[in-house]
Amino acid sequence: GGLVYGWPALRSQLKADGSILSEKQLGAIFTVGAWATQGGRFFVGLARDRYGTRNIACTCLVLVTLGSIGVALSDPNNVAALS
């Protein structure tokens, strides 16, 4: 949900910050994020069954926090850091 609805705001902010990424590169960033979100559900489900909901929810919270900090601190022209 957040990737689909939050992407237009992030994309416009990247352009406002002077990013020199092309539309093709911005599209690739979105595609990587969308595939990771949808594909990750299967593996998170397996981990939930094995380790429990509370442990996996806390682990996912930490990973999302680290990812958000990473995107916030990354260079707006670095495709690898944004995807």
Side-chain angles (χ1 to χ4, degrees):
L3 174 71
V4 174
Y5 297 118
W7 176 249
L10 178 60
R11 185 172 163 230
S12 64
Q13 186 62 45
L14 286 171
K15 290 202 175 254
D17 287 346
S19 176
I20 58 170
L21 298 175
S22 68
E23 288 297 321
K24 187 174 183 179
Q25 290 171 319
L26 290 171
I29 293 169
F30 176 79
T31 302
V32 167
W35 276 90
T37 299
Q38 299 304 323
R41 289 181 182 187
F42 175 73
F43 298 107
V44 170
L46 291 175
R48 266 180 75 185
D49 289 341
R50 183 172 178 119
Y51 301 109
T53 301
R54 181 177 295 153
N55 292 333
I56 297 305
C58 291
T59 302
C60 288
L61 177 65
V62 169
L63 292 174
V64 167
T65 302
L66 291 174
S68 297
I69 291 170
V71 168
L73 297 177
S74 69
D75 178 30
N77 296 315
N78 188 347
V79 176
L82 293 173
S83 56

